[in-house]
Amino acid sequence: MKRIDAPRRSASLASQLVDSLRSHIEEGGWAVGTRIPSEQALMEELGVGRSTLREAIGALVHLGLLEARMGDGTYVRASSELQSVMVRRASSAQRNDVLELRTVLEEFASKAAALRRSEDQLVQLRELLADAETACESEDPAAAQDVDALFHRAVVRASGNDLLMEVYDHLGTALTATVGELPWDAAAAQEHAGLHRRLVEAIEVRDGDGARAAAAAIVQLTRDTDGDSS
């Protein structure tokens, strides 16, 4: 049977621009949460017309990588289509479901980190622990949330599991954003800091079971503070 020849055509300029901008985002050229340059600035930098640029930006908005905000410009929403889908799904899930998923990921990651971490990774965890304690003492919820997210990402990276790191990085914001939203009192904040110290200490002495227990306790404290212990 004679095969059907596919039509030969080069990709449109807009399609090429989509690929170029997507690569730029994936490589961190525009960080998640930041506003991209103005339409005029991009047209001049890229040497393309307004219609081509708008078509490419629209495609990236459709893919979930960018978000157009009326009167405020266009922002980077995710670094990849996978991240966009996963964050959107986690953000729409019940909080208890998110906390349970976080428990599963962080228990495994913490035990693996205790067994596999390098000395440099241990130093980084100690530094982030100190930053977390400083943020807690300053009673700055936003700073506390930021450093908490960095701390838990560092634990996951120390696990040495590349796939787990990728999944956690994609879900990290949705998994850790609950911390800054909770009504922490002084006692809860102190217990939260103590559990993080316990986790780092367990990782330091390569106590896998101790690290796993500390990670589970951190998430349980978040759940209890949220008033959802189911």
Side-chain angles (χ1 to χ4, degrees), residues 108-165:
F108 177 87
S110 296
K111 182 173 182 177
L115 302 177
R116 302 171 183 170
R117 56 84 180 162
S118 67
E119 288 302 317
D120 287 344
Q121 288 169 332
L122 179 60
V123 169
Q124 182 186 29
L125 286 172
R126 288 174 179 155
E127 292 174 348
L128 288 170
L129 179 62
D131 291 342
E133 292 175 343
T134 299
C136 182
E137 291 172 359
S138 69
E139 298 183 353
D140 184 344
Q145 179 177 326
D146 289 345
V147 72
D148 187 79
L150 291 173
F151 176 87
H152 288 287
R153 283 188 173 92
V155 171
V156 175
R157 281 194 294 274
S159 74
N161 186 313
D162 291 339
L163 183 57
L164 178 60
M165 283 187 282

Side-chain angles (χ1 to χ4, degrees), residues 95-109 148-149 151-152 156 168 171-172 174-179 182 184 192 196 215-216 218-219 222-223:
R95 174 164 291 190
N96 195 56
D97 290 347
V98 173
L99 291 173
E100 286 182 355
L101 176 59
R102 181 179 171 186
T103 300
V104 170
L105 295 178
E106 292 193 8
E107 279 191 41
F108 177 87
D148 187 79
F151 176 87
H152 288 287
V156 175
Y168 194 88
L171 284 171
L175 291 175
T176 58
T178 54
V179 174
L182 298 179
W184 294 106
H192 189 255
H196 282 70
I218 290 170
V219 182
T222 303
R223 183 179 300 171

Side-chain angles (χ1 to χ4, degrees), residues 56-70:
I57 294 297
L60 293 173
V61 169
H62 180 72
L63 289 172
L65 301 186
L66 297 178
E67 177 185 4
R69 301 179 185 175
M70 187 66 68

Side-chain angles (χ1 to χ4, degrees), residues 162-208:
D162 291 339
L163 183 57
L164 178 60
M165 283 187 282
E166 183 177 356
V167 170
Y168 194 88
D169 279 343
H170 288 331
L171 284 171
T173 301
L175 291 175
T176 58
T178 54
V179 174
E181 300 170 0
L182 298 179
W184 294 106
D185 56 25
Q190 185 175 6
E191 184 177 359
H192 189 255
L195 288 172
H196 282 70
R197 284 195 298 273
R198 194 172 113 195
L199 174 56
V200 173
E201 289 167 359
I203 292 175
E204 180 176 5
V205 299
R206 300 191 185 279
D207 177 6

Side-chain angles (χ1 to χ4, degrees), residues 45-82:
E45 178 181 352
L46 300 171
V48 297
R50 192 179 306 276
S51 61
T52 298
L53 178 62
R54 287 184 175 178
E55 183 178 345
I57 294 297
L60 293 173
V61 169
H62 180 72
L63 289 172
L65 301 186
L66 297 178
E67 177 185 4
R69 301 179 185 175
M70 187 66 68
D72 192 29
T74 301
Y75 287 76
V76 181
R77 183 178 182 183
S79 61
S80 70
E81 292 96 323
L82 176 60

